Amino acid sequence: MKNKKNKLSFSVKFLFFTLCFLFFFLLLIRLILSLHEQQFYQRMAAVTFEISKSDQDLSSIIYALKQPSKEYISLGLPILKSYGYFGQLLTFKEQFLLWIFAGLALCFLFTFFLSLLSYQNRQTQARIQSLTDYLKQINAGSYPLRPYKTEDSFSLLEDEIYKTIVMLRESQKKAIDTKENLAKNMADISHQLKTPLTSLSLTAELLYQQIEKTKEKQIVEQILSQTEHLRLLVTALLNLSRIDAGVLQLEQKEIPIEELLSCAAEPILPLLKEKQQKLQIQNCSEYSFLCDIGWTAEGISNILKNCCEHSPEFSTISITAFQNPIYTEIQIEDEGEGLDAEELSSIFQRFYKGKHSKKDSIGIGLALAKSIVERQNGEIFAENCRDKGARFRIRFYV
């Protein structure tokens, strides 16, 4: 209601000032005409008096004054010009004053409309800035409801934004509830699966110790292998569901990159030893950045494991790092066969397995690494090296 009153008050003021200006302008015109009439009658009175002293008949002169013919006008103008009259009755001073009055009137009109346009522009910019800030809050993940609304040309847009915000808040709440329920269900299922998997693994180990025949031992070894494979799959799915639900707690600390890479390389040391591969870490001792060392090390370890599995024996896996004011980047390169076009576009998808993957590969390690990196304001790329092998680039932005 207050906004409507302000809008009405502004309209009344605008109408009032417009009428005042028109009245002032018309008054100025009337004043100019009055001055012209006064000058004309004063000078004609003086001319008439001079003519009357010569005892001439004034009737023809007065008649020519009231109804001048074109012939008389054309004949009389050269006579007036010979005495220095060129159609101007007002003096230079009088004309100067009239021009000042006209200029002031135009300046007043220009200033008023300029002020009006400036005021409307400020109001429009303020409303646009207000709506822009509101949309920035939405893009940042906040969905506040605005308890007030302004009645102006942006009201319809504001109403639509308000309705959209209400829908987004409801959708966000439902999505959060769904993800939390999914994470909780996954945690429950994982917990329920771990108990029979542990029991199955222990039973298989006991059975393996009691069997003497080689063929039967191979069968039990397959059971143990598949049990371990299933345990890893359950753990990976549980971690992914926690990340998706946003319930994964990450502790950000300033961690030296060399320490992080040491933690990441530790789980794959047996695989490196088995394939007699070499892990080479270069240019990492001087850098550090904010991250969760446990989860980040697990993500990098998954990438190192992928490089180790897809590289030949006696090859080298190289790790380098560098830093700039925008991000910290870790590069991991192997000496394998590289990645084809399909793998480059799909390698980080869940359950995707490349052409050269092992039979027991889950296809979830790189997807988990990507989720962990992105959860910490980072991104990960895969590309081929210029000579041979694949390169993984991990960036953590400041």
Side-chain angles (χ1 to χ4, degrees):
M1 181 64 69
K2 184 178 179 180
N3 293 322
K4 289 184 177 180
K5 289 183 178 179
N6 291 336
K7 188 174 182 180
L8 180 62
S9 176
F10 178 78
S11 300
V12 171
K13 290 179 181 179
F14 173 73
L15 180 62
F16 174 75
F17 280 111
T18 303
L19 293 176
C20 288
F21 172 77
L22 291 175
F23 175 77
F24 177 76
F25 191 73
L26 293 174
L27 184 63
L28 178 64
I29 293 176
R30 185 67 185 94
L31 176 62
I32 294 172
L33 293 176
S34 298
L35 288 174
H36 273 278
E37 290 177 351
Q38 184 179 4
Q39 290 284 341
F40 174 76
Y41 278 105
Q42 287 177 354
R43 297 190 182 190
M44 286 305 302
V47 170
T48 304
F49 176 73
E50 289 294 330
I51 295 175
S52 63
K53 291 194 299 181
S54 60
D55 297 331
Q56 295 184 9
D57 186 11
L58 295 178
S59 59
S60 60
I61 298 175
I62 299 301
Y63 180 80
L65 177 64
K66 294 181 66 176
Q67 294 182 351
S69 64
K70 293 182 178 179
E71 180 183 0
Y72 285 2
I73 292 175
S74 61
L75 295 174
L77 286 176
I79 300 174
L80 289 176
K81 289 181 180 179
S82 65
Y83 289 96
Y85 291 95
F86 299 95
Q88 296 180 353
L89 294 178
L90 299 180
T91 64
F92 175 78
K93 182 179 180 180
E94 292 169 340
Q95 294 180 21
F96 180 73
L97 291 176
L98 288 176
W99 278 112
I100 288 179
F101 284 133
L104 289 176
L106 292 176
C107 288
F108 172 79
L109 179 63
F110 178 76
T111 303
F112 174 73
F113 281 105
L114 188 64
S115 301
L116 175 63
L117 291 176
S118 176
Y119 173 78
Q120 291 179 339
N121 184 59
R122 288 196 303 269
Q123 293 292 104
T124 302
Q125 292 297 327
R127 291 288 287 129
I128 292 176
Q129 186 62 43
S130 175
L131 294 177
T132 302
D133 294 339
Y134 194 32
L135 291 175
K136 286 181 179 179
Q137 291 180 336
I138 298 170
N139 292 331
S142 176
Y143 301 96
L145 297 179
R146 303 181 69 170
Y148 62 90
K149 292 195 296 183
T150 305
E151 294 293 336
D152 55 13
S153 56
F154 292 92
S155 298
L156 182 60
L157 176 60
E158 189 175 17
D159 289 338
E160 293 301 321
I161 293 177
Y162 183 83
K163 294 176 184 177
T164 305
I165 296 308
V166 173
M167 294 176 61
L168 286 175
R169 290 190 65 175
E170 293 178 354
S171 300
Q172 183 193 37
K173 187 176 183 304
K174 290 180 181 179
I176 292 174
D177 293 341
T178 302
K179 287 184 177 181
E180 289 179 351
N181 291 332
L182 177 61
K184 183 178 179 181
N185 294 334
M186 288 294 294
D188 292 340
I189 294 172
S190 175
H191 180 73
Q192 295 297 327
L193 285 174
K194 284 181 179 180
T195 301
L197 286 174
T198 303
S199 176
L200 181 60
S201 179
L202 291 174
T203 303
E205 289 178 1
L206 291 174
L207 182 60
Y208 182 81
Q209 295 174 3
Q210 296 177 5
I211 293 176
E212 297 180 355
K213 295 181 179 181
T214 304
K215 187 175 181 179
E216 293 175 348
K217 281 190 174 183
Q218 291 177 351
I219 296 175
V220 176
E221 287 177 353
Q222 292 180 1
I223 295 174
L224 287 171
S225 175
Q226 293 300 318
T227 303
E228 178 65 16
H229 179 77
L230 186 58
R231 185 187 66 80
L232 293 175
L233 179 60
V234 170
T235 303
L237 288 175
L238 176 61
N239 291 335
L240 279 175
S241 65
R242 292 173 64 188
I243 293 174
D244 291 341
V247 298
L248 181 65
Q249 298 297 326
L250 298 177
E251 186 179 0
Q252 300 286 318
K253 289 185 178 180
E254 190 76 17
I255 304 296
I257 293 182
E258 194 171 25
E259 180 182 349
L260 173 66
L261 296 178
S262 298
C263 295
E266 185 176 354
I268 68 164
L269 290 178
L271 185 58
L272 290 171
K273 185 177 180 180
E274 179 184 346
K275 299 187 70 172
Q276 300 184 32
Q277 294 172 333
K278 181 182 178 181
L279 182 63
Q280 186 176 17
I281 301 176
Q282 300 175 341
N283 194 31
C284 297
S285 58
E286 56 181 308
Y287 302 126
S288 62
F289 68 104
L290 288 173
C291 70
D292 184 290
I293 185 170
W295 284 103
T296 308
E298 181 173 344
I300 296 177
S301 181
N302 289 338
I303 297 174
L304 291 174
K305 181 175 179 291
N306 182 85
C307 293
C308 184
E309 291 176 348
H310 291 81
S311 297
E313 295 181 351
F314 307 103
S315 61
T316 300
I317 298 174
S318 303
I319 304 177
T320 58
F322 64 90
Q323 213 169 42
N324 59 39
I326 301 176
Y327 57 81
T328 298
E329 181 168 317
I330 299 173
Q331 292 187 4
I332 303 173
E333 298 180 3
D334 61 33
E335 295 180 349
E337 298 181 0
L339 305 168
D340 58 23
E342 181 183 356
E343 288 178 319
L344 284 174
S345 60
S346 307
I347 193 170
F348 294 108
Q349 294 180 4
R350 298 179 185 181
F351 306 109
Y352 176 81
K353 293 190 289 186
K355 297 178 181 179
H356 306 289
S357 299
K358 292 184 178 181
K359 294 182 179 179
D360 59 349
S361 175
I362 302 174
I364 207 172
L366 294 181
L368 180 60
K370 183 175 184 293
S371 298
I372 292 172
V373 171
E374 290 179 348
R375 185 77 165 75
Q376 300 180 92
N377 192 32
E379 56 183 346
I380 184 170
F381 311 91
E383 60 188 15
N384 288 316
C385 299
R386 180 176 298 180
D387 299 328
K388 186 179 181 182
R391 179 190 295 119
F392 293 88
R393 300 166 60 189
I394 309 169
R395 288 182 180 178
F396 295 92
Y397 292 93
V398 177

